[in-house]
Amino acid sequence: LRPPPPTSITSSANPLSAASSTATAQSDFARRAAAVGAGIHSTSGRLQALAALARRTSSFDDPAVEIADLSARIKRDIAGLNGALSELAAVGARGRAAAAASSAAAQQQQHSATVVDGLRLRLRDAASQFRDVLDARQRSLTAHADRRARFSSAAGASTSGGGAGAGGGGGATGAGAGA
């Protein structure tokens, strides 16, 4: 003998169907929030690699191409993450609108707002770190150019001073040899 088929608990007559749609909205929000968080983490890793490249000061192995590529990638990441955060805020707002007016809905509303705010703060920190790394790179390049200019002017002065000294010494030697 077979048992009767189970009835669907998410039918339209069931009061749990509203809770089911709220749970679906929550899980969509959670998936999107996790993806944004993972994106921020990935971008932070790229920022650390960029900072390491920017700290190099040798003029012989300057990683300018790698820095430019990584900077462009980080800019795209930050722009994409800003868009994803806007979508996440919209999903949270839709979830809040779909939820019934209850203390649980108010708590869910507060939670999703807190999650979005926390992710925005993390992204803002990453963008600030990106600007700091680029500023440090610019200062490093300026200092390197200044050192090169000082070395070039010092080398030019010693070359022209050394040439006059060598010529004067040659004249004194020649005068001494003639006497």
Side-chain angles (χ1 to χ4, degrees):
L1 297 228
R2 292 179 141 182
T7 58
S8 173
I9 59 171
T10 58
S11 69
S12 60
N14 192 339
L16 295 177
S17 65
S20 175
S21 67
T22 301
T24 302
Q26 287 175 342
S27 65
D28 184 37
F29 179 84
R31 277 193 304 276
R32 288 176 184 246
V36 170
I40 293 171
H41 179 74
S42 174
T43 301
S44 294
R46 287 187 188 97
L47 277 168
Q48 289 175 352
L50 179 65
L53 287 172
R55 279 192 295 266
R56 288 189 190 170
T57 58
S58 174
S59 61
F60 299 110
D61 67 344
D62 185 34
V65 174
E66 293 91 350
I67 288 174
D69 290 344
L70 201 50
S71 295
R73 175 72 190 264
I74 291 169
K75 282 181 187 178
R76 283 192 309 268
D77 287 352
I78 289 174
L81 288 168
N82 273 322
L85 268 172
S86 296
E87 290 175 12
L88 181 65
V91 167
R94 282 194 304 267
R96 290 188 298 271
S102 68
S103 64
Q107 189 176 16
Q108 177 188 351
Q109 177 182 7
Q110 180 63 34
H111 174 71
S112 61
T114 301
V115 168
V116 170
D117 289 344
L119 290 171
R120 276 200 177 118
L121 182 62
R122 285 179 54 200
L123 184 58
R124 190 176 311 128
D125 288 345
S128 176
Q129 182 183 5
F130 181 53
R131 282 189 298 274
D132 292 346
V133 167
L134 292 179
D135 288 344
R137 170 71 175 164
Q138 186 61 40
R139 285 191 305 272
S140 174
L141 288 175
T142 303
H144 180 67
D146 289 346
R147 281 192 305 271
R148 187 181 322 129
R150 274 185 283 164
F151 178 74
S152 297
S153 65
S158 69
T159 302
S160 51
T173 306

